[in-house]
Amino acid sequence: MKPFDYTGKTVFVAGGTSGINLGIAHAFALAGAQLVVMSRRQDKVDAAVTALKAHGGVALGFSADVRDPAATEAALKAAHARFGPIDILVSGAAGNFPAPALGLSPNAFKTVIDIDLMGTFHVLRTAVAYLRQPGACIINISAPQSYIPMAFQMHACAAKAGVDMITRVAAMEWGKSGIRVNSVAPGPIADTEGMARLSPTPELSRLVADSVPLGRFGTKQEVADACLWLASPMASYVTGVVLPVDGGCSLGGAVGLARAVSADAK
Ligand code: HXC
Ligand code: NAP
């Protein structure tokens, strides 16, 4: 028996064509859901759809930038036209690079705010009309940067803190419509673009892993497992939370991650 059965459910993953978000999409597809993924690059969209279809299920993909609300809504509307109301919405598009605050041009800071924070706003705001009500579950992908200040991450810290406030406010406003809204905050996750950028050498990766209370990087599957639970009836009374899936980094263990980012950005 599958631990979670999402047969007949529709899952839309914004930024779902690589890394952690694609891992989440795969987990829901394996659990029986029909998947819709959206990101900027058509080649990544095509590759993700092909990979998701390998599970034997149905998958659709759209090329759109979360910074463009009209393009984002067009993808959600097309998903709704094909599958009906969306049951689970994952908002995970993000951009990041290590840089000192004084090395961030106004446009550099704005770019990360536009993708992570404004993008999350656009995805959620345009999606509500296409969600199952009652019953839908929204998961925003956050990061330890939301609650742990990190040097050389002023842009990402500001953006992800905003994402988690969107989670809390949306949970308050949409709860009575039967929509739950939560954040999942992965810690350092192995084999991802994010960690390739923030801890690019084996030495820095060891520094990061040593600082995590569980002593290692997490896996994409571990983040996906948390999402499977959060979207399930097992979590039906859970809304407005930021769930760290970070090996204990939220306890203060991300010091090594912060040091790694600093060492790389100098
Ligand atoms: C300083 C930089 C920079 C850098 C770009 N910029 N990289 N500034 N240091 N390393 C500046 C540019 O000079 C420009 O400013 C502005 O940012 C916009 O750059 P563009 O390349 O024009 O932007 P765009 O094509 O929109 O690309 C966005 C991007 C890119 C964020 C810069 O890297 C991207 O598309 N990333 C998506 C993939 C990604 O980042 N994945 C990792 C997510 S991990 P000027 O002033 O010159 O115009 C994550 C959290 C990890 O989010 C947490 C780990 C615990
Ligand atoms: P990733 O592989 O680069 O994933 C980012 C995804 O977002 C890609 O599918 C990308 O595809 C898409 N995307 C980026 N900008 C977009 C835009 N403007 N519009 C639409 N889609 C866009 O990175 P990752 O490391 O797996 O990170 C995934 C998520 O986890 C992010 O939210 C990140 O902040 C979070 N996170 C990661 C870690 C980690 O250890 N890696 C830790 C904490 C949190 P396109 O390039 O085709 O647009």
Side-chain angles (χ1 to χ4, degrees):
M1 196 188 79
K2 290 178 189 168
F4 294 101
D5 186 359
Y6 281 93
T7 306
K9 303 285 186 191
T10 300
V11 182
F12 187 106
V13 187
T17 62
S18 64
I20 291 171
N21 303 328
L22 180 57
I24 294 167
H26 273 298
F28 278 107
L30 272 168
Q34 46 227 13
L35 261 296
V36 185
V37 290
M38 184 197 106
S39 82
R40 292 167 301 178
R41 282 175 45 188
Q42 188 67 53
D43 59 327
K44 286 179 70 174
V45 170
D46 293 342
V49 168
T50 302
L52 288 166
K53 279 181 175 165
H55 298 308
V58 193
L60 279 185
F62 296 98
S63 165
D65 192 318
V66 293
R67 290 170 284 191
D68 179 345
T72 299
E73 177 158 23
L76 287 154
K77 192 174 180 181
H80 183 271
R82 173 73 171 80
F83 295 128
I86 294 163
D87 297 284
I88 295 134
L89 172 72
V90 179
S91 178
N96 197 358
F97 46 80
L102 297 181
L104 287 168
S105 69
N107 190 43
F109 187 85
K110 180 178 184 297
T111 296
V112 172
I113 296 291
D114 280 350
I115 300 172
D116 296 26
L117 181 55
M118 292 301 297
T120 300
F121 173 70
H122 295 146
V123 169
L124 265 62
R125 184 178 165 279
T126 54
V128 166
Y130 305 105
L131 295 181
R132 186 175 303 287
Q133 296 183 40
C137 171
I138 298 175
I139 299 173
N140 291 325
I141 304 303
S142 182
Q145 278 85 338
S146 166
Y147 38 82
I148 299 172
M150 281 185 212
F152 304 98
Q153 286 283 273
M154 185 183 277
H155 45 338
C157 289
K160 292 296 193 182
V163 166
D164 286 342
M165 269 301 171
I166 285 181
T167 292
R168 297 181 181 106
V169 175
M172 293 187 83
E173 291 199 12
W174 302 338
K176 291 197 173 61
S177 301
I179 301 173
R180 293 186 298 114
V181 190
N182 295 290
S183 285
V184 164
I189 302 301
D191 302 320
T192 59
E193 181 63 27
M195 290 317 295
R197 290 177 180 222
L198 297 190
S199 70
T201 67
E203 294 72 34
L204 292 174
S205 292
R206 260 195 301 278
L207 185 65
V208 173
D210 282 349
S211 75
V212 178
L214 286 182
R216 61 172 177 84
F217 279 42
T219 66
K220 293 170 209 164
Q221 185 65 50
E222 287 172 320
V223 180
D225 286 344
C227 294
L228 288 174
W229 171 74
L230 207 41
S232 79
M234 306 281 285
S236 55
Y237 206 49
V238 179
T239 196
V241 306
V242 177
L243 176 64
V245 183
D246 66 356
C249 285
S250 59
L251 305 172
V255 169
L257 175 59
R259 278 203 200 117
V261 175
S262 305
D264 184 48
K266 271 176 195 156

